[in-house]
Amino acid sequence: MKMTGAEIFLESLKKEGVKYIFGYPGGVVLGIFDLLYDNKDIQLILTRHEQGAVHAADGYARSTGKPGVALVTSGPGATNTVTGLATAYMDSIPVIVFSGQVPTALIGNDAFQEADIVGISRPCTKYNYLVKDVKELSLIIKQTFYIATSGRPGPVLVDLPKDVTVSKTEFTWPELNIRSYKPTYEGNKWMISQAAHLIAKSKKPVILAGGGVVLSGASKELKELAEYTEIPVTMTLMGLGSFPGTHSLSLGMPGMHGTYYANKAIQESDMLIGIGVRFDDRVTGKIDAFAPHAKIIHIDIDPTSIRKNVRVDIPIVGDVRRVLLVLNKILKEEVKEQWSEVRKAWLKQIDEWKRERPLTYTYSDEVIKPQFVVEKIYELTKGDAIIATEVGQNQMWTAQFYKFDKPRMWLTSGGLGTMGYGFPAAIGAQIAHPNKLVIDIAGDGSIQMNIQELATAIVHKLPVKVAILNNHYLGMVRQWQELFFNERYSYSELYSHVVPDFVKVAEAYGAVGFRAIKPSEVEPVLKEAFKIKKTVFMDFIIDWKEKVYPMVPAGAPIDQMLFEEPKEKAEKKLKAVK
Amino acid sequence: MRHTISLLVENKFGVLSRISGLFSGRGYNIESLSVGETIDPQISIMTIVTSGDDQIIEQITKQLNKLIDVIKVIDMTELDHVEREMVLIKVAPRHEDKAEVLRLAEIFRGRIVDSSQKTYTIEITGDEKKIEAIVELLKPMGIKEFVRTGKIAIAREGVKK
Ligand SMILES: Cc1cc2nc3c(=O)[nH]c(=O)nc-3n(C[C@H](O)[C@H](O)[C@H](O)COP(=O)(O)OP(=O)(O)OC[C@H]3O[C@@H](n4cnc5c(N)ncnc54)[C@H](O)[C@@H]3O)c2cc1C
Ligand SMILES: Cc1ncc(C[n+]2csc(CCOP(=O)(O)OP(=O)(O)O)c2C)c(N)n1
């Protein structure tokens, strides 16, 4: 039977198991929207901005491991997806965007609402397509899902000219074979065995676990490795939840706002096992001074991640889970346990560092400390909530004070650092997990970047909770200005303790709004919010002077950290670093 | 160091911009790039001359390999190979230099592909040294226009460096 391109499009999505599309209509995609009107298999979630649609698809993907799908119109609809694509690209998230395009005959003519979105999105997608003939459509869609989700995952965009969606052809569901794209899943056995012997010999090893562990679904294998070899684990921002944050071997996050003991352990280590990490500069600090005594083993599915930033002694290209299965087997069967004694000294040293400088903040009875809010959220949810964040201090405080024990419960824009990501991502996650508690921990700046998505949450009856840590500043910017620009707070004050009134904004959309000004109000507000089955905004008026500590100034070695200390001392340290 | 990299790529719309975009987006040099179809019309071959230290070259080849449309990446510099480039040089010599231009063209096994009252256009094929040499010699005679194809390269059969 012949089908139109639009019909083939929906049939193909159904075959790929798509249940939800996040989208926004416009001229050239109205044909597809018309079919969605009475489609029983696929529901469209209408966001209030295309950026929101892509972040929602991203939140859906991160929280489920399945690809998230968005559908937008040509021109402005398509260009509005760019930030969402770039966000997903940097964090290796399988997001698929279908954009409408002007009819093929008009492409290149500056037609109404024409934008070269394939050209624009090329550097921020894993791959993209312009469909030129309806006959290629089903194959392209199949390839799209395969490319987005296999190897190192990433976003793919498919541009659909209007005439392609109306012309007809026979529907087929072809076999796949992309000769130029064959990801490597199995690690080189010899290299893995080299790694096993190095692990057995090392005296002060550290595991650095990243987003790749989450993407690979290798938490179980990672835990087995760490426990069997008694190696402490530090998790990058993207790796939080890949290893239990409450585990005695957990060092928390490393890097710029990482823990003292994670950074110390890396710097002192004689062996570092990077697993699904890309050694971002937020993690390594000054690259020449990073892990100076360590032999480095690096497991990554993408060869370009290896030796991009740091030297590597044993590179292993492959899927984390499959490599760890082999590694654990070799360790148990061929190498055998022989490290118990040496580990004792190392773990004792780490315990000392943990005691010397734990993560701290100064509690106050007068004014709400943001870390206190995060701690309370952790306490009340017992860690069993999907947590999204925006970008800035709110994100770092959450990373530090919420303990993630399981993967795919943590949605944050790490690589691009996209303000406005968290709220729509939380909406996408809530769609996928209607019965889970989903919370966006936000800053007053970031939340205003996609605040319109309140409407999406209300209309779809999504009980997403937003906890705004309101310091009426672009807090992270203000922190840098305080520390590095002589307290000249140039254009970073937002006055958002007055404009807007977040409680009223929430109410205007039909959500519930709460405000807490005193520390004693934090817990009651959170409890009430978590009880209500509705969208809730919580406006926590926090100590605007609060900073994120520890902090490694940009470009310094990661063990030269600033701590919460009297100001002069901090400044002295800063000078020493420069 | 300078490297000559050969790429087999899908002969598809947009592939060239994916490759040039990779170089510009990541700040890698392109000294020259040439593209053409192979015997199989679905596959094109590109020859790129680039430069960088070992780590950069390693990243370049890995990044190229990572592109979905790239079938194969060969760093020719690591193999024994032949490199060629063609140039077209339009010279406008003074009357007294005309004979010298023709003589040089002959020495370098060039061909005169066009001539007018005031100019000769010479076609020269060769490796870089040869091309540099004739350019140096022709410069004083008055080079009016100069175009080059960019390098192409092919591995020698059966020898490994
Ligand atoms: C304001 C701000 C501050 C920040 N501060 C910090 C900080 O202090 N500390 C910190 O850690 N981060 C920090 N970040 C985040 C940082 O920018 C990076 O996003 C993060 O460090 C990258 O994490 P990752 O190395 O785990 O890599 P990811 O970006 O998660 O990359 C995953 C890696 O795993 C590989 N991979 C994917 N799938 C597989 C598979 N199946 N098998 C094997 N490998 C796979 C990929 O190829 C890639 O190399 C901050 C971000 C912001 C916005
Ligand atoms: C879209 C975007 N624009 C600008 C920035 C730069 N930036 C990083 S953090 C930050 C401040 C964030 O302020 P807010 O959301 O109030 O959070 P806080 O740091 O106060 O918790 C800014 C402007 C960014 N990351 N994203």
Side-chain angles (χ1 to χ4, degrees), chain A residues 89 118 122 125-130 132 143 147 152 178-181 302-310, chain B residues 9-15 17-18 26 40 42-43 55 58-59 62-71:
Chain A
Y89 185 65
V118 170
R122 194 168 290 132
T125 49
K126 182 171 172 185
Y127 198 62
N128 59 17
Y129 292 94
L130 170 65
K132 288 184 151 174
Q143 288 180 346
I147 290 173
R152 177 180 185 168
I178 311 176
R179 63 176 160 190
S180 55
Y181 175 69
D302 179 354
T304 69
S305 286
I306 295 176
R307 288 207 193 100
K308 178 160 67 183
N309 301 328
V310 297
Chain B
V9 300
E10 296 289 348
N11 186 5
K12 286 207 276 218
F13 156 88
V15 175
S17 64
R18 286 182 204 280
R26 293 187 181 268
D40 176 352
Q42 289 181 351
I43 298 178
Q55 198 212 351
E58 180 180 331
Q59 267 297 313
K62 284 175 169 179
Q63 292 285 356
L64 287 168
N65 259 312
K66 182 172 162 181
L67 291 178
I68 308 277
D69 290 321
V70 172
I71 302 166

Side-chain angles (χ1 to χ4, degrees), chain A residues 90-91 151-153 210-212 215-216 236-239 253-258 276-280 282-283 300-302 305 318-320 391 395-396 413-415 417:
Chain A
M90 287 294 269
D91 291 344
R152 177 180 185 168
L215 294 166
S216 169
T236 65
L237 184 73
M238 295 306 299
M253 184 172 80
M256 180 174 272
H257 291 298
V277 287
R278 54 186 178 81
F279 292 98
D280 185 86
R282 295 274 124 139
V283 171
D300 203 292
I301 201 160
D302 179 354
S305 286
D319 171 54
V320 167
V391 167
Q395 179 183 30
M396 292 299 111
S413 168

Side-chain angles (χ1 to χ4, degrees), chain A residues 164-197:
Chain A
V164 170
T165 66
V166 298
S167 42
K168 288 189 168 182
T169 190
E170 208 67 47
F171 177 78
T172 55
W173 195 232
E175 284 303 305
L176 268 193
N177 176 26
I178 311 176
R179 63 176 160 190
S180 55
Y181 175 69
K182 304 259 187 278
T184 307
Y185 290 99
E186 305 298 338
N188 178 302
K189 192 88 192 282
W190 188 80
M191 283 290 186
I192 300 176
S193 122
Q194 292 292 102
H197 286 96

